Amino acid sequence: DGGITQSPKYLFRKEGQNVTLSCEQNLNHDAMYWYRQDPGQGLRLIYYSQIVNDFQKGDIAEGYSVSREKKESFPLTVTSAQKNPTAFYLCASTQTVRGVLEAFFGQGTRLTVV
Amino acid sequence: QKEVEQNSGPLSVPEGAIASLNCTYSDRGSQSFFWYRQYSGKSPELIMFIYSNGDKEDGRFTAQLNKASQYVSLLIRDSQPSDSATYLCAGGGGGADGLTFGKGTHLIIQP
């Protein structure tokens, strides 16, 4: 079955460490996205990528980095420059089919700084 | 700046009644609108999407879109306690930057 896989489900980071969250999709979607969700808040866009080897900053890109070397993979690195990284991270992919935008989400990664 | 506005709630509805969730959006270029349900600590799950003016029904759920008023709503008929969750409204398709989400409405169905 096609879908998006995020790993790990839970991740703990020490102060000053970089960590990388994985996102893989087998939907053959061109566009992929990373969102962050804080308690009681909606989803805020961190980075997005429309095609391989290209990506754009979203609303809250500071302290994060991404790569898009393969169509199916869009890993997110939370760097030590991100001062408050504890949050729920969601990866998504989209495709426009017959003029309608379809969106799919992974199951999320909960990151906690210890 | 594209914005999607929702009342954060909580919205409390008796079991069996109709729950009405509302959303407004600022980007007139948005073409597709989505309603997601999210249980605490879980990923959002798609309930419905709508891209044409009017109503779209799926089981107990009805999505309504009014592009002239930039307004989207979700009606849940015969509300069940299991419908208690946060409902996220999102719009997209107006640009290359994916979906813009509202902050969500917390719905509580009282048994």
Side-chain angles (χ1 to χ4, degrees):
Chain A
D1 287 337
I4 301 178
T5 301
Q6 284 187 244
S7 62
K9 189 173 181 180
Y10 299 97
L11 185 59
F12 298 90
R13 191 194 93 168
K14 292 182 180 179
E15 295 276 357
Q17 268 187 339
N18 291 356
V19 290
T20 297
L21 284 58
S22 171
C23 178
E24 303 278 330
Q25 55 101 357
N26 60 4
L27 300 162
N28 200 34
H29 285 178
D30 290 317
M32 297 185 73
Y33 307 83
W34 275 104
Y35 293 92
R36 167 179 172 146
Q37 189 177 36
D38 294 284
Q41 299 293 314
L43 294 164
R44 293 184 290 168
L45 184 64
I46 305 173
Y47 266 100
Y48 64 99
S49 169
Q50 294 290 314
I51 57 173
V52 174
N53 292 323
D54 186 53
F55 47 83
Q56 305 295 327
K57 292 182 178 180
D59 299 322
I60 54 166
E62 186 175 352
Y64 300 97
S65 66
V66 293
S67 63
R68 188 83 187 278
E69 297 177 1
K70 298 185 296 183
K71 188 176 186 179
E72 56 270 23
S73 179
F74 191 41
L76 174 74
T77 297
V78 184
T79 74
S80 57
Q82 170 50 238
K83 298 306 179 188
N84 186 21
T86 296
F88 189 51
Y89 292 85
L90 281 166
C91 180
S93 70
T94 65
Q95 189 85 335
T96 299
V97 179
R98 293 186 293 276
V100 177
L101 182 70
E102 298 181 341
F104 295 85
F105 285 96
Q107 292 303 304
T109 294
R110 187 169 296 280
L111 173 64
T112 304
V113 173
V114 296
Chain B
Q1 181 99 6
K2 299 176 185 177
E3 291 184 340
V4 174
E5 300 285 344
Q6 293 181 258
N7 188 326
S8 61
L11 174 64
S12 187
V13 174
E15 183 176 358
I18 296 175
S20 178
L21 304 162
N22 304 312
C23 170
T24 59
Y25 61 95
S26 64
D27 180 20
R28 286 197 173 273
S30 293
Q31 298 163 9
S32 300
F33 299 90
F34 302 81
W35 283 100
Y36 290 89
R37 178 175 62 198
Q38 187 176 28
Y39 295 112
S40 181
K42 302 295 185 182
S43 180
E45 55 179 324
L46 182 66
I47 298 175
M48 293 188 70
F49 70 90
I50 186 168
Y51 54 91
S52 299
N53 270 328
D55 295 359
K56 179 181 178 181
E57 186 174 321
D58 184 1
R60 295 188 296 115
F61 299 95
T62 299
Q64 300 173 319
L65 174 60
N66 184 325
K67 291 187 178 182
S69 301
Q70 295 177 241
Y71 178 89
V72 189
S73 66
L74 179 71
L75 302 177
I76 307 174
R77 290 182 298 281
D78 188 23
S79 297
Q80 304 295 311
S82 59
D83 294 327
S84 298
T86 296
Y87 288 79
L88 301 169
C89 172
D97 52 355
L99 298 174
T100 301
F101 283 86
K103 292 185 176 181
T105 298
H106 184 204
L107 175 65
I108 299 171
I109 306 301
Q110 295 178 322

